Amino acid sequence: MPRLFQPNKAKPITPVFNVADLGNGEAEITLYGEVMEESPKDYWSGESLDGVYISVQEFNEKLDSIKDASHITVHLNSCGGDLFAGLAIHNVLKALPATITVKVEGIAASAASVIACAGDEVVVMPGSIFMVHSAAAFLFGYYNSADLTTMCSQIDACNKSIVNVYAAKTGRDIAELSELVEAETWLIGDEIVDAGFADTLDESSTSTTEVDEDGEGIVTNGLHHDVSAFHNLPTARIAAAMKAGRPDTDKVTTEVEGDNPAAADAHISAAPPQAAEKEGEDMDYESLTLDNLRAERPDLIREVENAAATAERERIAAIDGIAASVPADMVEDAKYANPMDAAQLALAAMQRDAQARAAYVADAKEDEDDSGAEDVPAAPEPSEEEDEEAKAKAEVADAIAYVKKIGA
């Protein structure tokens, strides 16, 4: 499927996807995360996977609760995702009778930039990031030239729909916008307004961004985004915007490797406000939550999550390795319901087998005792008549043998 890869208030909004009726005709929608048709689920268990997602399915389900609102504020912080999902959300927002205000509280990139353009008013901050680029498709398998030609036509159609959305918002020429899309254009702060994608620059609010050292991820307002698929991430301009918009400019650092300006640009980062506030202070562990830790130490959270995911994959693979010798119900239970590793599963299977054998022997002994087999003789004893006849036959045989002996 063609894919566009992937608020500030006084108190930052928790990075979630949510719809809320505030009363008096006011409502808000929080769109933090990856844009998808539906939230991903575990292939085996069917359970929803952990993550921050904006799904069309859930969006439509929740939207009914604010259908009577006259003004809706959309808090947006997303690096994009599925183009078709982004277009669907954009079209639904445009069709609402309410006036829509979109606040880019971090980043609106790729498919999320399409969603942003649904706003009657789009508000950005000095540190807000906006990115447009052409659609891309992930291919897996074997394709002939006709298949690829069809795919190219589909991608071209997607690009036309993207540019049409941008043109409707900005009023700019289609050809000019197409050049921006093809070039993967990044805009920051007032550049977004100058380009026509936003209407208002809110200088009273801030949007913070931290760039990973490897340049493959950014953290905007506490939410991590994977930007490894993009090509022109403007790390130097992002850092400059962070430095210009914050009084604690010493938190913006540049690590220069030799005389290579590109290396310096790749290592520019800005600390999020939560980390700046905590620096030099003792951490209040009683008030520490996962969300706070995720905002303050996204690198640590990612490291822990990646390690946990790797360990889980290895655990499942090890269980699959011994699954042929273990009952299927125990394998399923060990994977999901009552998680255990392969060694624990093997021991549990041996214990269960031993218990089954012991139960079989006990049942067989009980059946034997109940049958009365011990009281049954090995062979039936002869009756008195049979005994007398046997004695007579024996005497006759002895007599015959004696006569033969004498005759001899």
Side-chain angles (χ1 to χ4, degrees):
M1 177 180 293
R3 174 182 176 82
L4 285 178
F5 292 101
Q6 11 170 58
N8 235 7
K9 296 181 177 180
K11 183 179 181 181
I13 294 177
T14 302
V16 294
F17 166 43
N18 189 45
V19 174
D21 185 353
L22 305 180
N24 298 320
E26 292 286 334
E28 69 177 12
I29 303 173
T30 304
L31 299 178
Y32 274 47
E34 184 177 357
V35 180
M36 309 188 75
E37 192 70 32
E38 59 181 25
S39 297
K41 299 182 183 300
D42 183 90
Y43 178 82
W44 299 104
S45 67
E47 297 179 355
S48 297
L49 297 177
D50 291 336
V52 184
Y53 306 106
I54 305 166
S55 74
V56 176
Q57 179 183 8
E58 190 175 0
F59 179 83
N60 289 330
E61 291 173 354
K62 291 187 174 183
L63 202 62
D64 190 59
S65 63
I66 59 170
K67 62 182 180 181
D68 297 326
S70 57
H71 179 252
I72 298 174
T73 301
V74 179
H75 305 283
L76 182 61
N77 184 10
S78 171
C79 223
D82 189 296
L83 170 60
F84 294 153
L87 287 168
I89 294 175
H90 168 275
N91 293 339
V92 169
L93 289 173
K94 291 291 289 184
L96 293 175
T99 301
I100 307 295
T101 298
V102 175
K103 293 186 176 182
V104 180
E105 301 174 339
I107 185 170
S110 196
S113 68
V114 174
I115 295 175
C117 289
D120 298 299
E121 181 185 17
V122 178
V123 180
V124 295
M125 301 150 199
S128 297
I129 302 172
F130 201 93
M131 190 274 282
V132 300
H133 73 152
S134 58
F138 175 79
L139 299 181
F140 184 83
Y142 297 93
Y143 302 89
N144 57 35
S145 59
D147 296 330
L148 295 177
T149 299
T150 300
M151 179 63 71
C152 289
S153 298
Q154 293 173 345
I155 293 176
D156 288 340
C158 290
N159 287 332
K160 289 179 182 179
S161 67
I162 295 168
V163 172
N164 287 338
V165 169
Y166 295 155
K169 176 58 184 175
T170 65
R172 297 175 63 173
D173 181 70
I174 291 290
E176 185 181 18
L177 290 168
S178 295
E179 291 181 1
L180 295 179
V181 168
E182 291 173 5
E184 187 187 296
T185 303
W186 294 76
L187 304 168
I188 302 174
D190 56 357
E191 297 173 352
I192 309 172
V193 178
D194 294 341
F197 292 104
D199 305 285
T200 305
L201 178 66
D202 182 5
E203 297 186 273
S204 65
S205 300
T206 59
S207 175
T208 62
T209 300
E210 179 181 5
V211 181
D212 291 352
E213 289 189 359
D214 59 9
E216 295 189 350
I218 58 175
V219 179
T220 58
N221 278 8
L223 182 63
H224 185 266
H225 307 277
D226 180 5
V227 294
S228 58
F230 303 141
H231 307 292
N232 304 322
L233 182 67
T235 53
R237 288 163 55 208
I238 291 173
M242 293 298 99
K243 184 174 182 179
R246 295 175 55 204
D248 52 339
T249 56
D250 59 309
K251 296 300 185 296
V252 179
T253 62
T254 304
E255 301 176 10
V256 181
E257 299 179 1
D259 297 324
N260 184 355
D265 182 66
H267 286 79
I268 295 176
S269 63
Q274 297 92 334
E277 293 168 2
K278 291 289 184 180
E279 189 167 330
E281 300 178 7
D282 293 333
M283 181 170 287
D284 182 5
Y285 289 99
E286 293 184 359
S287 63
L288 183 64
T289 65
L290 180 59
D291 287 338
N292 292 339
L293 187 59
R294 189 182 296 277
E296 295 178 8
R297 291 296 307 276
D299 55 336
L300 177 61
I301 292 296
R302 288 197 304 277
E303 183 178 348
V304 172
E305 289 176 340
N306 290 339
T310 299
E312 179 64 5
R313 286 194 296 270
E314 292 175 350
R315 184 184 72 86
I316 296 296
I319 289 176
D320 287 337
I322 64 170
S325 60
V326 178
D329 64 312
M330 293 190 71
V331 171
E332 189 73 11
D333 188 67
K335 282 184 176 180
Y336 308 112
N338 297 294
M340 62 180 68
D341 59 30
Q344 292 170 324
L345 174 59
L347 178 60
M350 292 172 62
Q351 292 173 335
R352 176 165 153 177
D353 186 54
Q355 292 171 354
R357 288 198 302 270
Y360 176 82
V361 172
D363 290 343
K365 182 65 170 63
E366 183 179 358
D367 290 343
E368 181 182 355
D369 293 341
D370 293 342
S371 69
E374 292 183 353
D375 299 329
V376 178
E381 296 181 359
S383 62
E384 291 184 5
E385 293 79 2
E386 292 174 335
D387 190 46
E388 290 296 330
E389 182 179 357
K391 287 180 180 180
K393 288 181 178 180
E395 290 175 354
V396 170
D398 290 342
I400 293 175
Y402 180 72
V403 170
K404 287 181 176 180
K405 182 178 181 182
I406 294 175

